[in-house]
Amino acid sequence: MQSSNSRSCDSRDGSESSGDHEPGHGVVFGEASGSVRYEDPWYEALASGWGESATVSGPPGEAPAARREPADKAVAAAQIYLEVQRSAAFQEVRSRYRRFVVPAVAGFFLWYVGYVVTATTAPGFMARPVVGAVNVALLAGLGQFLSTFLLTWAYSRHARLRRDRAALEVRWDTQELTRGAGGGAA
């Protein structure tokens, strides 16, 4: 059986043959086949057993021992995140976000649907020339692009002026709380 990084495997136990395997990473030249292949250094850590024999060591779906957290730390971190979500500062950041995004999305959607509906139901109006070969449909289509850029600019400005500082404070508070509970990285 062949693994995903071109190393041959024994079909009985999933072990690799060591004929052309060199430790480390980089370009590896196969002695027997004369081929050149790139050895992936993360293969063994992340994808061991994928696409190989049906026998897998250890129970399926279980996290490696190095990645497991004690249950009490995970529960403490979850409680902290729920507490932060219920906090007034977090709710204020979310409400500021919604107060901008909901009307902006509704307005842009109506503008887009109005353009499409007008183009399909009133082709005579859309074909009306404005200046030379430029007609109403062309100006409205270019207006779609312009309104997209303006909306993007307005969103980033609103985020910078109204939400970013408050969101950063909530983030730092959350990190301090999780660090204190032992749920975060030191």
Side-chain angles (χ1 to χ4, degrees):
M1 181 176 241
Q2 193 74 14
S3 69
S4 64
N5 65 351
S6 302
R7 281 185 262 180
S8 59
C9 294
D10 186 7
S11 62
R12 291 177 305 239
D13 62 355
S15 63
E16 298 174 356
S17 64
S18 60
D20 62 344
H21 179 67
E22 295 177 15
H25 57 71
V27 177
V28 177
F29 296 94
E31 294 171 7
S33 64
S35 64
V36 177
R37 65 180 169 80
Y38 183 77
E39 183 178 317
D40 185 4
W42 296 101
Y43 177 77
E44 287 82 14
L46 298 177
S48 61
W50 290 7
E52 298 183 14
S53 70
T55 52
V56 178
S57 61
E62 186 176 328
R67 300 251 177 156
R68 283 188 220 126
E69 284 185 337
D72 56 340
K73 286 184 181 181
V75 170
Q79 290 298 326
I80 288 170
Y81 283 109
L82 287 173
E83 182 180 320
V84 168
Q85 185 180 12
R86 294 181 191 121
S87 71
F90 182 82
Q91 293 302 321
E92 179 63 24
V93 169
R94 294 298 295 171
S95 69
R96 288 178 184 178
Y97 172 78
R98 286 186 195 110
R99 279 190 301 240
F100 179 84
V101 168
V102 171
V105 167
F108 186 79
F109 184 73
L110 288 174
W111 159 234
Y112 175 74
V113 169
Y115 170 72
V116 172
V117 168
T118 305
T120 57
T121 60
F125 171 71
M126 296 297 265
R128 183 172 294 158
V130 177
V131 175
V134 177
N135 60 14
V136 173
L138 182 62
L139 288 178
L142 292 174
Q144 290 286 315
F145 286 104
L146 179 63
S147 64
T148 302
F149 292 125
L150 286 174
L151 188 60
T152 302
W153 170 80
Y155 176 81
S156 65
R157 183 177 186 275
H158 181 268
R160 186 181 70 245
L161 296 177
R162 306 252 193 274
R163 292 191 325 264
D164 285 352
R165 182 168 287 137
L168 188 60
E169 289 174 8
V170 169
R171 177 181 173 193
W172 285 115
D173 292 344
T174 305
Q175 287 179 349
E176 288 299 318
L177 288 171
T178 56
R179 190 173 293 124

